[in-house]
């Protein structure tokens, strides 16, 4: 990651006054400027960064069907509810259900791996990430 830099705009009159000041005053001004910059760095909120391993796990946890797959799944489920599903469509629906099962299994494994990496229980991790278990209809 490239180091961050700050830019300070200095009025031309201020620069002239600084250059005309005795060296002792210039050093005091530099020290004051450094103090202000240091304080701004210390009070700046820190942004959390994920390791490459955590990033990969989050990508798996947040994985989902493509829009096309989800749309087709919804369409096939509607046909199943209406009892108009053809045998070929039934096979297609089962194939998509297998893909969903695989996806959810991978998501769960990634969640377990992330909990282990962070040294918390899966339940604690789910609370930290505001993940609620899905509710299934009977």
């Amino acid at each position: 990651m490239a180091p961050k830099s700050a830019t300070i705009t200095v009025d031309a009159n201020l620069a002239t006054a600084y250059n005309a000041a005795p060296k002792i005053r210039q050093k005091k001004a530099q020290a004051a400027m450094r103090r202000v910059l240091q304080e701004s760095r210390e009070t700046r909120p820190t942004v959390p960064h994920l390791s490459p391993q955590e990033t990969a796990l989050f990508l798996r946890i947040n994985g989902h069907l493509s829009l096309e797959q989800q749309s087709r799944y919804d369409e096939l489920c509607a046909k199943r509810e209406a009892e108009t599903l053809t045998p070929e469509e039934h096979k297609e629906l089962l194939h998509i259900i297998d893909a969903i099962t695989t996806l959810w299994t991978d998501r769960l494994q990634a969640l377990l791996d992330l909990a282990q990496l962070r040294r918390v229980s899966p339940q604690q991790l789910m609370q930290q990430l505001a993940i609620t278990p899905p509710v299934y209809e009977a």
Side-chain angles (χ1 to χ4, degrees):
M1 180 185 297
K4 294 182 180 179
S5 62
T7 303
I8 299 175
T9 304
V10 179
D11 183 280
N13 295 330
L14 181 59
T16 303
Y18 173 81
N19 290 332
K23 293 287 182 198
I24 188 91
R25 301 250 355 224
Q26 289 179 359
K27 287 184 180 182
K28 285 183 179 180
Q30 288 175 359
M33 223 182 310
R34 283 190 189 102
R35 261 194 323 277
V36 168
L37 289 172
Q38 184 61 33
E39 288 171 5
S40 74
R41 282 190 205 116
E42 291 171 357
T43 59
R44 186 181 321 156
T46 57
V47 177
H49 295 282
L50 297 175
S51 70
Q53 188 177 10
E54 286 176 308
T55 300
L57 291 170
F58 270 108
L59 288 172
R60 287 173 50 203
I61 291 168
N62 292 318
H64 51 81
L65 292 177
S66 69
L67 292 175
E68 296 83 18
Q69 286 176 312
Q70 184 65 52
S71 177
R72 184 63 178 154
Y73 174 74
D74 294 340
E75 183 182 323
L76 293 172
C77 285
K79 283 187 161 195
R80 182 186 62 200
E81 290 292 319
E83 297 182 4
T84 60
L85 201 60
T86 67
E88 294 79 25
E89 289 171 329
H90 184 251
K91 287 180 185 176
E92 184 181 358
L93 178 60
L94 291 176
H95 180 72
I96 295 173
I97 290 171
D98 283 344
I100 292 170
T101 303
T102 301
L103 180 67
W104 275 92
T105 303
D106 187 55
R107 292 175 87 179
L108 181 57
Q109 185 60 56
L111 187 69
L112 294 172
D113 293 345
L114 184 60
Q116 185 177 21
L117 182 67
R118 292 188 170 186
R119 299 172 194 251
V120 297
S121 72
Q123 294 82 1
Q124 289 172 317
L125 181 65
M126 289 175 69
Q127 287 175 344
Q128 291 171 2
L129 301 176
I131 297 174
T132 55
V135 177
Y136 298 101
E137 296 177 19

